[in-house]
Structure formats: C-alpha cells, structure tokens
Amino acid sequence: NFRNYENLELEFNNNVNVFVGNNAEGKTNILESIYISAITKSYRTGKDIECISFNNEFFRNEHTYIDESNKDKKLEVEVFLDINNKKQIKEDNIKVNRYSD
C-alpha cells in the first residue's frame, strides 16, 4: 500500500540496477521506499501519510539489507505507517524507539 504499489517484491543486483518505465509508473516510489527505510522519512513530502496509497489505511515497507563483505550478515527493516500517522519502525523484528537510532 505504498504510493502506487499494492504489493511489490524486488531483488536487486549487486552491481547496477536500472529502473525503466513511463512517467508515473512507480520508479521514484521504489527509491522513496528505500529512502524511508534508511532515513525514516520521505524526501518527497513533509507528510509521510501521503505515501499511503489511495483508499488504504496503512503502508508497510520491508527491506533486507545484506552486508557485501559478509553475505550472512543481514538487517531486516520494517516501516509501518497508518492513516492516524502512527509510525512504527522495526529492525530485525525489534521496535526502534528513537528514529535517529
């Protein structure tokens, strides 16, 4: 339920990834989703609630970051936001209390 995506699963290449498509097909939304996972807020809007797709009550982004030097070392990040603007961030299923962490 993030922007124009109801559900999307991607696996990136270790080298270069290129997003190709017409305008308004969601290329920038993918980048924004990654940014929110890393920085905890959108770079496109001051109101994260605008990232919830139309007629939905929440969005949830889940990302897995893999350490290139140790492929077994992974970090699971989940960002959840509901229409009441309640945000919850988890790292490896543990709630993060301070977004700056």
Side-chain angles (χ1 to χ4, degrees), residues 8-59:
L8 176 68
E9 187 171 327
L10 296 173
E11 188 169 326
F12 293 104
N13 183 291
N14 290 341
N15 298 312
V16 175
N17 295 275
V18 178
F19 301 107
V20 178
N22 293 321
N23 288 342
E25 287 189 340
K27 301 176 299 293
T28 303
N29 296 344
I30 294 169
L31 299 176
E32 182 181 23
S33 169
I34 296 167
Y35 189 91
I36 286 177
S37 172
I39 307 298
T40 73
K41 60 183 178 178
S42 171
Y43 66 89
R44 292 172 67 191
T45 178
K47 300 177 183 177
D48 290 339
I49 198 166
E50 293 177 2
C51 297
I52 299 173
S53 61
F54 187 68
N55 284 338
N56 282 291
E57 308 248 333
F58 68 92
F59 78 71

